[in-house]
């Protein structure tokens, strides 16, 4: 069963996750190589956003990634993706905690922190049309129905312009205070494509509408954490370990505003493939469950 406790010496320190079929073959091939012959791709920095609403019940916006995608095809995931070098642009209009504060939270330098936070906001705008920005440090834009916003998203996707240029063009500031850091996962070394991903969360801005227009998604929409986990148990939904752990955490939220206001310790977690008696799983340190 996905996410069952590890067995054997030191079991309490680890948690085991079932391996989706799409990653089984190359995971086993990697394990069967002598350790000295194993290679690992350098993980690419990325950011993903758990977009949340709670009227009346807590729901999270998720995508089912297109089956043909090179990474996590067919998986249920949150909006997100790799950083763009231009995300580090100091010209991004900024409100809320500054880059130095985010660097302390993220455990990075200021330039890297600026890049990760901007990437998170850019990706959620690109993929579902939600913009975490306002005309002042205490407002959020609430009407994105004009065709100009669709064109701005297209321009970001084809790299015609940068996120900083979009914000500057519309006299907006990035509301970094709306984002809450909740997780940090690194793709296992056995994967040919690897990411060093920060998981952030944000409340859905009032007046805006999240859509399903992303070309990377077969479908997208709002779901309760309980429904996602039930879908996983029934085999309808495939979740990688980081997504599963994040959804489980969402399922335990009592008060969304209190939860978003927390500043938990967020250590980096990198699962490792383990095979025993013909069974393959991913093993991750147990502390990821205790935030």
């Amino acid at each position: 069963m996905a996410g069952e406790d590890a067995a054997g010496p030191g079991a309490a320190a680890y948690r085991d996750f079932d391996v989706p079929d799409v990653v089984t073959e190359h995971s086993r091939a990697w394990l069967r190589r002598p350790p000295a012959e194993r290679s690992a791709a350098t993980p690419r920095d990325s950011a993903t956003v758990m977009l949340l609403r709670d009227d009346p019940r807590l729901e999270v916006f998720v995508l089912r990634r297109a089956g043909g995608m090179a990474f996590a095809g067919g998986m249920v995931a949150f909006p997100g993706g790799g950083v763009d070098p231009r995300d580090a642009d100091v010209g991004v209009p900024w409100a809320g905690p500054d880059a130095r504060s985010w660097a302390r939270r993220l455990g990075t330098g200021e330039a890297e922190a600026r890049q990760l936070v901007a990437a998170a906001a850019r990706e959620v705008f690109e993929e579902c049309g939600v913009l975490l920005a306002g005309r002042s440090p205490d407002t959020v834009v609430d009407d994105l129905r004009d065709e100009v916003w669709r064109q701005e998203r297209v321009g970001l996707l084809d790299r015609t312009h940068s996120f900083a240029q979009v914000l500057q063009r519309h006299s907006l500031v990035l509301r970094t205070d709306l984002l809450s850091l909740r997780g940090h996962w690194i793709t296992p070394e056995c994967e040919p494509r690897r990411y060093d991903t920060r998981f952030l969360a944000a409340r859905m801005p009032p007046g805006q509408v999240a859509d399903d227009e992303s070309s990377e998604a077969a479908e997208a929409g709002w779901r309760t954490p309980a429904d996602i986990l039930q879908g996983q148990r029934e085999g309808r939904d495939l979740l990688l370990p980081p997504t599963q752990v994040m959804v489980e955490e969402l399922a335990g939220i009592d008060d969304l505003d209190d939860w978003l206001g927390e500043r938990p310790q967020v250590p980096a977690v990198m699962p490792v493939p383990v095979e025993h008696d013909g069974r393959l799983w991913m093993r991750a340190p147990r502390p990821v469950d205790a935030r």
Side-chain angles (χ1 to χ4, degrees):
M1 178 179 292
E4 68 181 36
D5 289 345
Y14 298 96
R15 182 177 178 187
D16 292 337
F17 297 85
D18 286 342
V19 179
D21 290 343
V22 294
V23 301
T24 297
E25 184 175 347
H26 62 253
S27 297
R28 281 202 165 106
W30 188 86
L31 280 172
R32 289 168 183 164
R33 297 189 196 110
E37 297 179 14
R38 295 173 184 168
S39 61
T42 300
R44 179 185 177 190
D45 285 336
S46 68
T48 191
V49 177
M50 298 178 286
L51 195 60
L52 302 163
R53 66 183 187 184
D54 61 349
D55 185 17
R57 58 184 182 173
L58 183 76
E59 294 178 311
V60 59
F61 191 85
V62 291
L63 318 169
R64 189 183 308 277
R65 291 171 61 85
M69 304 241 356
F71 182 82
M75 302 286 180
V76 172
F78 310 113
V83 302
D84 183 312
R86 293 180 296 179
D87 290 330
D89 187 350
V90 294
V92 174
W94 196 275
D98 60 17
R100 180 176 297 180
S101 297
W102 274 105
R104 287 195 294 268
R105 292 188 201 175
L106 294 164
T108 67
E110 291 184 29
E112 294 84 359
R114 180 176 289 276
Q115 189 173 42
L116 285 163
V117 173
R122 174 183 54 77
E123 284 286 344
V124 80
F125 180 54
E126 285 183 4
E127 295 200 359
C128 59
V130 172
L131 188 55
L132 302 174
R135 301 197 182 281
S136 66
D138 57 357
T139 64
V140 183
V141 62
D142 62 359
D143 187 352
L144 301 177
R145 292 174 294 179
D146 193 290
E147 173 65 13
V148 68
W149 296 110
R150 190 183 73 81
Q151 293 301 322
E152 296 289 24
R153 291 168 69 183
V154 170
L156 287 172
L157 287 166
D158 65 18
R159 301 299 186 259
T160 298
H161 50 241
S162 69
F163 192 48
Q165 290 171 319
V166 173
L167 296 176
Q168 292 166 353
R169 190 154 43 237
H170 297 279
S171 301
L172 299 174
V173 293
L174 174 59
R175 290 284 307 275
T176 73
D177 57 311
L178 300 180
L179 289 163
S180 174
L181 178 65
R182 302 302 309 191
H184 181 189
W185 288 71
I186 302 171
T187 308
E189 292 183 334
C190 58
E191 285 288 325
R193 290 175 182 262
R194 301 182 64 221
Y195 295 90
D196 186 337
T197 304
R198 268 45 176 224
F199 286 76
L200 298 105
R203 179 183 282 279
M204 177 69 186
Q208 295 192 36
V209 177
D211 62 39
D212 61 354
E213 295 184 13
S214 172
S215 62
E216 296 183 358
E219 58 182 287
W222 294 96
R223 296 177 63 184
T224 66
D227 177 60
I228 297 170
L229 295 173
Q230 182 65 26
Q232 182 190 39
R233 287 190 291 270
E234 295 175 356
R236 294 182 285 109
D237 295 316
L238 297 177
L239 280 67
L240 290 175
T243 308
Q244 179 179 339
V245 169
M246 292 292 101
V247 172
E248 289 171 348
E249 184 171 342
L250 296 179
I253 293 176
D254 293 321
D255 184 291
L256 179 56
D257 289 327
D258 285 350
W259 184 81
L260 288 171
E262 294 174 358
R263 294 292 182 267
Q265 294 295 314
V266 181
V269 178
M270 185 179 72
V272 296
V274 178
E275 187 172 22
H276 184 68
D277 290 339
R279 182 191 165 200
L280 182 72
W281 60 87
M282 288 291 173
R283 176 165 289 177
R286 172 60 66 177
V288 299
D289 294 333
R291 294 205 175 94

